[in-house]
Amino acid sequence: MNMGSCQGSWFIGDHVMPIISVANPQGGAGKSTSTLVLATTLAQQGASVAILECDPNRPIMGWKAGQSNNTVFVDCEITESTITAKLDAYRKRFQLVIVDLESTASRLMSRALARSQLVIIPVQASPNDAELAARTIHLIQEEEAAFEKVIPYKILFTRTSPVIQTRIEKAIIKQLADAGVPRFQAHLNERAAFKAIFYHQRDLAELDDSEVNGLPAARDNALRLTSELVDLLTREKAAA
Ligand SMILES: Nc1ncnc2c1ncn2[C@@H]1O[C@H](COP(=O)(O)OP(=O)(O)OP(=O)(O)O)[C@@H](O)[C@H]1O
Ligand SMILES: [Mg+2]
């Protein structure tokens, strides 16, 4: 995907821009990392992106300082009383709004889910994580019932090895497929570069090969994932 395909599709000319929530009550599932990788990769391609940082540890707060050339707007002052109005305001100003949720099921989470065009559920490929992903899906279904709307969701496997698929990973992927649970084909592999973007406050394009191992592979991984995301949102938009 390149900048042209961003601009040629649902990003431009639409009145209502997509809101994506990144949710899983499991602590450390990879919510904040997935949020920042997606937001910075899309921004690097020319999209304007706002992040609503609801993680109480505020790991994405530093991006507010705007050290990166491809600025991602970050709002860390989100409460359950302000989230709905802020989402409605940001979706008018930005091409994409991504909500990095806290790791507890809360009213704030429920309000974010209700406004989302897509929920990404980052999951590490372990049995306990798969169980918590099922709980996230259950929370989404509760919102769907309450608001009488469909809220599309997709599992995103995180921290998987780029070279070896473990037996547990295979079994969990099969279990999800058998249950008809949608997932991204691309995983967010375990990569030092995905930690480095937090540490250096620079996106994958701005980091230097001498600073971090495996950078080209991490860039390729981020591009495959964002490309899949944009294709999905484009299809959803066309179907709407
Ligand atoms: N793909 C990855 N490659 C390398 N490290 C990763 C990756 N994904 C997550 N991590 C690391 O795993 C830890 C937890 O990730 P992260 O903070 O993104 O999870 P989270 O779901 O947002 O956690 P919390 O529930 O605390 O908000 C962090 O130390 C992060 O650097
Ligand atoms: Mg987090």
Side-chain angles (χ1 to χ4, degrees), residues 32-34 36-38 40-41 159-160 187-199 204 207 212-215 217-223 225:
S32 299
T33 305
S34 308
L36 193 58
V37 168
L38 287 170
T40 52
T41 306
R159 306 196 74 172
T160 52
H187 296 186
L188 195 69
N189 293 136
E190 175 80 27
R191 291 276 177 201
F194 299 142
K195 287 184 194 296
I197 54 172
F198 285 89
Y199 180 75
L204 292 167
L207 286 172
V212 52
N213 287 333
L215 195 50
R219 286 184 186 136
D220 176 66
N221 186 172
L223 283 174
L225 182 59

Side-chain angles (χ1 to χ4, degrees), residues 28-33 53-60 100-103:
K31 297 179 286 296
S32 299
T33 305
E53 173 61 296
C54 306
D55 181 334
N57 294 320
R58 309 280 185 260
I60 301 175
D100 176 27
L101 283 163
E102 57 196 337
S103 49

